[in-house]
Amino acid sequence: MNRIRAFLLSFCLSIGILIPLLACIMLLQSRQISNGQEQVQADATTNGVPIALPSPDDKLTCLAMIQQEDTNYFLLLGLDAVKNRISVLGFPKDTVVLLPQGGTSTLEQEATQAGPGRAAELLSQTLQIEIPHYLLAKSTDLTKASSMLGAVTVNLSGYDISGAKASVGKAPVCMMVPEQVFSLLDEWNLKDTQKSSLFANITGEFLLAAIQSDSTIPTQILRQASSKLLTTLTSQEFRQIDRICKLMNGKESEFSPEILPGTAANDRFELNDDSIALVHKYFTAKSSASSDSVDSSSDESSDSSSSDS
């Protein structure tokens, strides 16, 4: 009987020690889980607004054609929220593009004869990149819609501009607002190749400043000028641009001013391997399947033209 009592006593003492100990362990584990959940929620939320993460679809490429008196500017524009990058390259109006049936033409000729859509299509095939959208605007309409933008500072290094003297240890720069852009480009009297590249760099600086200050500004400009634009951009693309800019807002967005390599001769601008490599650095190259389809369609066009002749 004494043994049974001793056993029961030791059993009760053990239970009395184990139960509080297990309860403490469970309490600590539940607190750790709760803290982890709170941390996840805190990481996923800023000021009560869930943070959206960019997807591969959060990018857009567009060929913009800006008409300014007797000069047309061609800009290849790209916004990429995943890489947090703004890409703008300027193409001289006499840039040579390849025709599917063989032979060559220029961006200016194709845009004038068949519209900006044809120019975008041929540039896409020539560079083997995706250009799903185009935009045609007059400089006066675009400048008026961009009046909400402030001034930006543009680096003039690499351009032959009289009066653009470098300060000690600094590159030559110029501060400008949208209303001054085209008058300054005319005043500087640059060659077409330099003028197109400089205009692209100026556009990139304005885009960068706009996105960093207010991500809605690019779409505000587009909507304000939409009635006078010829474009494939719809309200759906406007919302996409708005989302991309919002994702890029508040981050160190990347924009690297570039001068498009190529050879200017006989009033034509010939692209080369360096220029194509630069374009592929910033814009999405076509897949091999689409490239094969383009090649095959070109072959079929050549065969049909040969048979007709």
Side-chain angles (χ1 to χ4, degrees):
M1 194 67 178
N2 291 335
R3 290 180 180 178
I4 294 174
R5 288 181 178 178
F7 170 77
L8 291 174
L9 180 61
S10 62
F11 178 77
C12 292
L13 289 172
S14 299
I15 293 296
I17 295 173
L18 288 174
I19 288 178
L21 182 61
L22 291 172
C24 290
I25 293 173
M26 294 177 65
L27 180 61
L28 287 173
Q29 287 181 339
S30 65
R31 286 185 176 179
Q32 288 176 350
I33 293 172
S34 177
N35 290 338
Q37 290 176 343
E38 290 176 0
Q39 183 63 38
V40 170
Q41 292 176 353
D43 292 340
T45 307
T46 301
N47 296 328
V49 180
I51 297 176
L53 296 176
S55 72
D57 293 330
D58 290 320
K59 61 183 177 182
L60 185 136
T61 301
C62 178
L63 178 66
M65 176 179 170
I66 313 300
Q67 296 176 323
Q68 199 263 330
E69 295 180 354
D70 58 347
T71 302
N72 289 324
Y73 293 93
F74 291 88
L75 300 179
L76 191 57
L77 304 169
L79 295 174
D80 191 331
V82 174
K83 297 180 179 179
N84 200 34
R85 186 172 65 199
I86 300 167
S87 303
V88 189
L89 289 178
F91 288 78
K93 65 181 186 299
D94 294 316
T95 299
V96 174
V97 289
L98 304 178
L99 298 174
Q101 66 273 21
T104 61
S105 183
T106 67
L107 286 176
E108 175 91 329
Q109 290 172 342
E110 295 302 317
T112 302
Q113 296 173 6
R118 176 65 170 172
E121 177 188 357
L122 293 180
L123 187 62
S124 171
Q125 293 178 7
T126 300
L127 298 173
Q128 285 301 297
I129 62 169
E130 297 176 357
I131 308 179
H133 300 289
Y134 66 81
L135 179 151
L136 172 65
K138 291 184 178 180
S139 61
T140 51
D141 298 330
L142 194 61
T143 299
K144 184 177 180 181
S146 303
S147 59
M148 66 185 71
L149 292 172
V152 298
T153 301
V154 178
N155 191 326
L156 301 180
S157 298
Y159 299 97
D160 184 17
I161 298 175
S162 58
K165 304 293 185 182
S167 303
V168 177
K170 296 182 180 179
V173 296
C174 178
M175 181 170 285
M176 63 183 74
V177 294
E179 292 81 1
Q180 296 176 299
V181 172
F182 293 102
S183 60
L184 285 173
L185 288 173
D186 291 337
E187 177 185 330
W188 288 330
N189 195 28
L190 298 169
K191 296 179 180 178
D192 285 345
T193 53
Q194 286 196 317
K195 184 182 285 189
S196 62
S197 291
L198 182 53
F199 180 54
N201 295 343
I202 292 170
T203 302
E205 294 292 352
F206 274 111
L207 271 175
L208 180 63
I211 290 173
Q212 289 179 339
S213 62
D214 183 350
S215 63
T216 65
I217 288 180
T219 47
Q220 287 185 52
I221 294 173
L222 287 173
R223 288 190 175 96
Q224 187 168 334
S226 60
S227 62
K228 298 181 180 179
L229 296 179
L230 177 61
T231 181
T232 55
L233 296 173
T234 64
S235 57
Q236 180 177 351
E237 278 75 43
F238 285 4
R239 288 193 295 271
Q240 183 185 10
I241 294 171
D242 196 46
R243 171 183 163 80
I244 293 171
C245 293
K246 192 173 295 183
L247 289 168
M248 296 173 68
N249 177 260
K251 300 178 181 178
E252 285 293 332
S253 300
E254 175 192 346
F255 170 66
S256 302
E258 298 277 4
I259 297 177
L260 184 71
T263 304
N266 300 322
D267 295 327
R268 289 162 75 88
F269 184 76
E270 297 274 358
L271 300 172
N272 55 31
D273 291 342
D274 290 337
S275 50
I276 293 176
L278 178 64
V279 172
H280 282 205
K281 176 182 176 182
Y282 294 111
F283 296 90
T284 304
K286 288 184 177 180
S287 63
S288 58
S290 61
S291 300
D292 293 341
S293 64
V294 170
D295 293 339
S296 62
S297 63
S298 300
D299 293 340
E300 290 174 1
S301 300
S302 300
D303 293 341
S304 62
S305 61
S306 299
S307 61
D308 291 342
S309 60

